[in-house]
Amino acid sequence: MTGNPPIGSHWARNGGQPRIAVIGAGMSGIGAVIKLEKAGYTDVTVFEKTGEIGGTWRENRYPGLSCDVPSYFYQYTFAPNPDWSHRFSYGPEIQAYLKRTAERFGVMPRIRFNAPVTELRYEAPRWHLRAGDGEAEVFDIVIAATGVLHHPSVPDFPGLDDFRGTAFHTARWPENLDLTGKKVGIIGTGSTSAQIVGAITDQVARVSLFQRTAQWIHPLPQKRYGERWKGLLRRIPALNRAAYRGVSFTIDQTFVRATLGSPVMLRYLAWMCRRNLRRNVPDPELRAKLTPDYRAGCKRMIFCSTFYPAISKDNAELVTAGIDRIEADGVRTADGTLHELDVLVLATGFKASNFILPTRVIGENGVELGSQWDGIPRAHRATTMPGFPNFWMLEGPTGPVGNISLFMISEQQIDNLILSLDEMRAREAVAMAPRQDAFERYNADMARAVRGTIWFTGGCNSWYLDRNGVPNIYPWAPRRFRREMQNPDFSEFRFMRDEAEAIAADRAAAVTA
Ligand code: N01
């Protein structure tokens, strides 16, 4: 923490500390508290909507839940874990790591559990935050660490309510559900579905997988780590950090280059996936059905070595006829067949364009974030919004996603936020927000660049696309993002020196969509 608290500000009256609210106690929220504290920002309160931390790793409990980003890269840089049991961690182990880290760094006492934030209202230069039915509380800074994929998308299948068995979305997996001997239907073929099919097929009577689109599936070279290796990492933590950098570099040189259009890497990925299919699916008819008709890398690449062997088993069927409707006893497909089921799993993905919504976020001049976005969420360098001073988003709209580590992206964004708070202190400012012109220039550059990526040219539909069919994610290499986060250009921001200036800016704000 550098510089002075803004003169006469709430910060100055609060022992030089801005009051900071973090929304969400998932990976980003926990990381934010720890890094802010280390940087000297200690008045931090976390609002968590449920009774437990962990975000996506708390919410998802489906069988086979794991992370397809290598363990040594899917962790905080400040808490390298020598004890990962596998090269690709399983969900419960990641959740345990998050809990352990939150406890170790003293995050837990800062969390208010069961406190869903319903409204954030900017009254210059502070935010009024309302959680649940409670009274509004006042904060200087708000950090939305609410995650990307947490609003289940449940298509409006006709007859879904008539189903007599158990139906649920993958993110709402019932506790203690026993699938032994059951006929299970799974709609959707994304990463989640691939992991579930791989995990349950041996246990159930029958799996019917309803596929609308075939996927490119890269093998996942899973490996268990031995005690000697873990002991070595404990003794030499530098090895763990080297592994982080090594994996980051490899992903950068392969998958990232592929998605940004490298023809060599795209060919390599497609070759790896085709070979995976050939080696693991002996039946040519099934192989044909599992062969995608768009280019590899267009959707988020699936990494899974259990799916192809599982779907090739005698008790598994791949259904490619469209879904006509859902009936009391199962799913009726367009060819008239009724696929009888006891359990129906909706692996149908998430509403990726919600982010912090439906929380009402009201910025300068009474403008609402939801209406500002109008279904296409935007941000300045994936973190801030003009008209919403002192409001940061972690893993917010148009950020780098895909087959990379969101731990890394989130940490870079937190570092950027800390640099911004330091800059406010140095300038003795009470509020900052990106300038409208900088935001528009940045978004126009992004809109041009995104058209060169495989997400746009690959000929597929995916959650990366906005409602106009344009990818709404970071179109450049993650290393560029790192540079942007490490070297913020503060000329892109307007700073409000005192309360009067902030109030005047609030009144004058003419924010355009
Ligand atoms: O969801 P998805 P997901 N009728 O959106 C189908 C992360 N993740 O939960 O392709 C029939 O990928 C839809 O069909 P189509 C990761 O970022 C990470 O699997 O649109 N089908 C598709 O097959 C991932 O990308 C890990 O034709 C319908 C599926 O549902 C993200 O989560 C693990 C339909 C949705 O696939 C989301 O993955 C798991 C309809 N009406 C997940 N509507 C890691 O390991 C949708 N579908 C880090």
Side-chain angles (χ1 to χ4, degrees):
M1 188 161 72
T2 55
N4 300 315
I7 295 161
S9 70
H10 190 254
W11 306 27
R13 290 192 293 274
N14 191 33
Q17 287 288 337
R19 281 202 81 200
I20 303 176
V22 173
I23 307 174
M27 173 263 284
S28 294
I30 295 167
V33 178
I34 297 169
K35 287 200 148 208
L36 282 164
E37 171 111 32
K38 193 157 176 259
Y41 294 98
T42 53
D43 188 345
V44 184
T45 307
V46 183
F47 292 83
E48 166 53 48
K49 69 179 175 192
T50 72
E52 208 189 321
I53 68 158
T56 197
W57 298 105
R58 173 206 62 231
E59 213 135 286
N60 284 289
R61 288 190 305 259
Y62 60 79
L65 173 67
S66 58
C67 180
D68 59 15
V69 176
S71 309
Y72 296 126
F73 190 33
Y74 201 78
Q75 59 179 353
Y76 298 112
T77 50
F78 54 80
N81 177 18
D83 294 318
W84 292 119
S85 67
H86 287 81
R87 181 183 281 158
F88 297 91
S89 298
Y90 291 99
E93 206 173 334
I94 301 174
Q95 173 68 353
Y97 167 75
L98 288 171
K99 271 188 161 171
R100 224 171 36 241
T101 308
E103 276 158 12
R104 179 177 149 205
F105 287 89
V107 178
M108 301 304 268
R110 299 192 181 280
I111 306 176
R112 289 218 211 135
F113 289 103
N114 301 308
V117 175
T118 48
E119 187 181 276
L120 287 166
R121 180 184 292 277
Y122 182 69
E123 287 179 21
R126 288 188 282 280
W127 284 93
H128 292 242
L129 178 153
R130 194 180 297 280
D133 301 330
E135 291 288 303
E137 285 181 64
V138 181
F139 290 90
D140 299 295
I141 307 290
V142 172
I143 302 168
T146 46
V148 192
L149 301 170
H150 59 115
H151 298 283
S153 167
V154 177
D156 196 10
F157 293 114
L160 183 55
D161 291 340
D162 301 335
F163 183 59
R164 265 204 298 256
T166 312
F168 51 87
H169 186 272
T170 52
R172 300 286 179 268
W173 199 275
E175 224 160 309
N176 306 321
L177 176 71
D178 184 7
L179 292 179
T180 313
K182 298 269 169 54
K183 287 176 280 189
V184 181
I186 302 175
I187 302 179
T189 51
S191 303
T192 305
S193 164
Q195 293 180 348
I196 295 172
V197 172
I200 67 167
T201 306
D202 280 341
Q203 181 196 351
V204 302
R206 182 152 201 86
V207 169
S208 305
L209 177 63
F210 298 90
Q211 171 184 284
R212 187 165 69 177
T213 310
Q215 296 271 358
W216 291 94
I217 304 184
H218 192 284
L220 180 122
Q222 182 59 298
K223 175 186 166 149
R224 179 184 277 280
Y225 291 125
E227 289 311 312
R228 275 177 54 191
W229 169 244
K230 291 186 214 166
L232 195 64
L233 288 187
R234 252 175 254 128
R235 281 196 303 281
I236 315 174
L239 278 179
N240 204 319
R241 286 195 287 274
Y244 183 104
R245 284 195 298 275
V247 178
S248 172
F249 178 78
T250 309
I251 291 180
D252 223 40
Q253 294 304 310
T254 52
F255 306 109
V256 168
R257 283 180 58 198
T259 50
L260 300 183
S262 156
V264 176
M265 273 304 144
L266 280 168
R267 271 203 298 279
Y268 167 75
L269 276 192
W271 176 78
M272 281 297 284
C273 295
R274 279 201 202 94
R275 191 176 71 151
N276 188 28
L277 177 62
R278 228 175 21 250
R279 286 188 172 175
N280 291 293
V281 181
D283 175 4
E285 207 177 308
L286 180 59
R287 233 171 22 228
K289 285 186 184 177
L290 288 167
T291 303
D293 61 0
Y294 54 92
R295 292 170 66 207
C298 181
K299 286 172 182 278
R300 184 181 185 278
M301 181 73 67
I302 295 179
F303 285 76
C304 188
S305 287
T306 52
F307 173 73
Y308 284 147
I311 197 68
S312 301
K313 292 200 166 145
D314 290 343
N315 66 334
E317 64 166 343
L318 181 74
V319 182
T320 52
I323 294 169
D324 180 34
R325 63 182 180 276
I326 296 174
E327 300 182 358
D329 295 323
V331 171
R332 176 87 60 187
T333 43
D335 57 5
T337 310
L338 175 67
H339 303 265
E340 289 190 16
L341 303 171
D342 305 309
V343 175
L344 178 59
V345 180
L346 303 168
T348 43
F350 297 84
K351 293 177 192 154
S353 62
N354 278 27
F355 294 95
I356 189 175
L357 307 178
T359 299
R360 282 187 79 205
V361 184
I362 303 153
E364 283 179 330
N365 217 12
V367 173
E368 278 207 35
L369 189 64
S371 60
Q372 186 81 344
W373 281 347
D374 193 20
I376 303 184
R378 291 265 174 261
H380 184 60
R381 302 197 186 277
T383 50
T384 54
M385 271 295 288
F388 294 81
N390 294 359
F391 176 70
W392 275 266
M393 291 173 280
L394 303 176
E395 309 295 0
T398 69
V401 291
N403 297 100
I404 54 173
S405 171
L406 291 189
F407 270 84
M408 175 183 78
I409 301 303
S410 167
E411 279 198 47
Q412 291 167 358
Q413 292 176 331
I414 298 164
D415 292 344
N416 175 271
L417 153 70
I418 290 168
L419 288 174
S420 303
L421 295 183
D422 287 350
E423 185 71 13
M424 279 169 75
R425 293 180 72 95
R427 293 180 185 228
E428 299 185 0
V430 292
M432 67 182 282
R435 312 183 87 91
Q436 185 71 28
D437 58 339
F439 166 79
E440 279 166 14
R441 220 173 23 251
Y442 173 76
N443 275 274
D445 286 352
M446 207 168 57
R448 270 192 299 280
V450 90
R451 286 170 189 268
T453 63
I454 188 72
W455 309 309
F456 188 69
T457 60
C460 74
N461 187 20
S462 76
W463 66 263
Y464 293 164
L465 306 183
D466 66 23
R467 62 174 153 76
N468 296 328
V470 179
N472 200 26
I473 58 177
Y474 192 74
W476 299 290
R479 61 178 173 279
R480 171 169 167 165
F481 190 72
R482 188 185 62 226
R483 281 197 303 271
E484 284 175 27
M485 293 295 100
Q486 283 174 345
N487 309 295
D489 176 358
F490 288 117
S491 71
E492 295 183 334
F493 289 79
R494 62 194 166 88
F495 288 83
M496 285 144 273
R497 290 275 305 279
D498 53 29
E499 202 148 328
E501 199 179 319
I503 291 169
D506 186 351
R507 293 214 182 104
V511 180
T512 51

